[in-house]
Amino acid sequence: MPTTENQFIERNEFLTDLYPIHPGVMLKVEVLPTHKVTGSALADAISATQPSVAKVLNGKGPITPALAARIEAATGYSAALLCKMQTAYDLAEVRRENQARLESIPRLAAFA
């Protein structure tokens, strides 16, 4: 996981793959400032609490499909893209957290 909001992308130890950015961080750093919208204004627009939106914008909470749809309604920013970004981020986290276990699973002969 990136250590600062300015570190959008983190490379893995082999520098072969880019680590996906959390969609909330991308909204916070790239999208909202471009339109001069604050997290509080977004929270008000989508009828969410400011702490729950702050959690998402800080990369500490997921963007669910329901939340993505509300963000799309308020901003026009694609809910489908936000969901795809969240899925890519979640998958990267699972792979990172379970790397040894995943590497220990033998490949089925039919798929080798």
Side-chain angles (χ1 to χ4, degrees):
M1 173 184 260
T3 56
T4 68
E5 66 186 41
N6 293 328
Q7 231 176 338
F8 306 140
I9 300 172
E10 200 174 88
R11 293 185 175 270
N12 68 14
E13 63 181 323
F14 303 109
L15 303 177
T16 57
D17 296 316
L18 296 177
Y19 199 88
I21 184 173
H22 187 285
V25 173
M26 187 269 312
L27 285 171
K28 177 182 178 179
V29 176
E30 293 291 327
V31 177
L32 297 181
T34 301
H35 299 282
K36 296 181 174 70
V37 173
T38 64
S40 295
L42 178 62
D44 289 344
I46 64 173
S47 299
T49 65
Q50 196 280 328
S52 67
V53 170
K55 187 175 178 181
V56 169
L57 295 179
N58 289 320
K60 304 296 182 193
I63 292 186
T64 64
L67 180 58
R70 290 161 57 196
I71 292 170
E72 180 181 62
T75 67
Y77 203 80
S78 172
L81 177 60
L82 293 171
C83 289
K84 287 176 187 177
M85 289 179 71
Q86 185 67 56
T87 298
Y89 180 82
D90 291 345
L91 181 57
E93 282 288 289
V94 167
R95 286 178 171 158
R96 183 184 62 78
E97 292 169 0
N98 298 287
Q99 183 176 357
R101 181 172 182 228
L102 294 171
E103 288 173 355
S104 72
I105 297 172
R107 179 73 52 128
L108 292 171
F111 295 94

